[in-house]
Amino acid sequence: MIDPKVPSINLRPSDYVIIGGTGDLALRKIFPALFWRYLDGQITSDYRMAAAARREMSRADFAAMLRPFCEDAFGTGGASEDDWNGFLDLLSVITLDVSSGEGGDHLAAFISERSDPARPTIFYLAIAPSLFGDATRLLKANGLVTPQARLVVEKPLGHDGTSSRAINAELAEIFDESQIYRIDHYLGKETVQNLMALRFANVIFESLWNNNHIDHVQITVAETVGVDGRAGYYDRYGAIRDMVQNHLLQLVCLVAMEPPSFFDADQVRDEKLRVLRAIRPLTAADIQCGQYQEYTQELGEASDTETFVAMKLAIDNWRWAGVPFYIRTGKKLARRASEIVITFKQRPHDIFERNGGGAIDSPPNRLIIRLQPSEGLRLQLISKEPGPGGMRLFPSELNLSFDDTFESRLPDAYERLLMDTARGNQTLFMRRDEVFAAWDIIDPVMALIADRTPHLYRSGTMGPADELLGTDGRIWVDPHD
Ligand code: NAP
């Protein structure tokens, strides 16, 4: 067993200001992540945190609201009441309306009370993107946009390329690109980072990582839930804008990118950008959309919004010429799982065929990278069945389950990403040109499907995308438990 508990890497203590600190994102993800980092000793008593929102609230009321979202830290994490009280001591609640500007002076007063004026201040905009402009202008008007200020924003950064450029231009008026951290929480997942370690810290895979050896790549991000009360929001986006434009294309980039010279934010992002720019424009035949049968009933009106999409991508460069990347994502599918499956080419010749090894029908080697749940890697190999009964072959697996390998819990993606904002490390955050390049792929896709009615699919299936691979003589590798 390996204990990955982070020895408290010395970080300069920082201030976290969560604007929209009473909202769903802040309560479910951001503050619990900060609490876990506090429990692990990475956030020390020198840090400060503030939840800023319009509604007036005492710290005790805020703590009562937040507590249920931190319950698993008390259960499995062993947090005590002392830990909780120590964490709350670092927390302030600030009444702030970014639209009217009211409360900006309170925020400025909070910031000015810091002991070290050079410490990083992280402003996390957990508010609707339509308020980003107001929020950044408020920060500027109150003298809070200093060189050590950092701005964190979340998707959706726009609805298409045009709106995304408009939102990002608003941010750029006030903050330098080096201060902007665009979160794609998929990039904070341990296995996603491990994908880079797997590829670039080992020689065995990288030497096979090309069209000489890889037949195709599949990426599946499957959810079992439906739109659950978010139908109004979801209907304006759909699976392509909500999932493909950001998470799935980022995963494609990490699988397909060339090795950067150094593990440095801009070098990694340069390489990802090259992949996005090498993706061939899709045709209508490359896209399959679906909608689960109960969707319009849940929405309360007719809609052609896709709750499922599968796409076949071609990457036009030497490494990947001829290797399709099939991606799919959807709601109300058979199981919740995110997996990247690298399928290697079949053996060029089968020496076992003549003596009845049955190897001809056996599956090719596959590397399966599981992002959720239970993060880990599996390598599918062909082995000999033990015993004297001749050369009988069977598919076997080398399994590296992170749950079994590491003693303590794997941190949530937000924990890693929040600490990276304090570190000033932008490697796992999307740069503006990446976001635009992704929209340059997605905008034409949306135009191609504009007049299409998605195929209805039954909940609990894996969606209507068999044909997309079937015509290429391939099948989906479904995640299993
Ligand atoms: P939410 O639950 O509606 O929360 C919105 C927050 O914004 C509340 O704290 C609200 O505070 C605050 N707020 C609204 N108007 C404000 C104003 N004029 N000045 C200051 N604060 C204001 O929304 P959410 O789900 O947390 O989402 C926040 C953002 O994150 C959105 O852009 C969303 O798309 C994005 N996001 C959310 C999730 C998620 O899991 N929820 C995931 C990814 C991205 P009061 O109403 O108390 O004033």
Side-chain angles (χ1 to χ4, degrees), residues 18-30 52-57 65 95-102 124-132 134-135 153-156 183 185 230 233 237 242 247 414:
I18 316 301
I19 300 180
T22 54
D24 179 69
L25 177 67
L27 295 173
R28 270 191 323 110
K29 290 292 180 185
I30 303 171
R54 284 172 307 184
R55 84 181 82 152
E56 221 173 311
M57 232 183 190
M65 189 164 83
T95 310
L96 174 78
D97 185 335
V98 298
S99 307
S100 67
E102 241 171 283
Y124 198 132
L125 302 187
I127 48 178
S130 54
L131 295 172
F132 286 0
D134 286 344
V153 289
E154 279 260 355
K155 70 155 197 184
I183 283 211
H185 70 270
R230 289 171 65 233
Y233 159 84
Y237 288 90
D242 193 42
H247 308 318
Y414 278 88

Side-chain angles (χ1 to χ4, degrees), residues 228-248:
D228 292 339
R230 289 171 65 233
Y233 159 84
Y234 188 85
D235 201 59
R236 283 184 288 126
Y237 288 90
I240 298 176
R241 291 187 173 106
D242 193 42
M243 297 297 290
V244 178
Q245 188 274 339
N246 35 63
H247 308 318
L248 276 98

Side-chain angles (χ1 to χ4, degrees), residues 347 350-362 382-385 388-394:
R347 296 164 292 280
D350 206 319
I351 67 164
F352 301 110
E353 188 189 14
R354 286 197 194 165
N355 56 348
I360 281 289
D361 295 329
S362 58
I382 303 296
S383 307
K384 179 196 169 293
E385 236 179 75
M391 195 66 182
R392 293 192 312 268
L393 302 177
F394 77 107

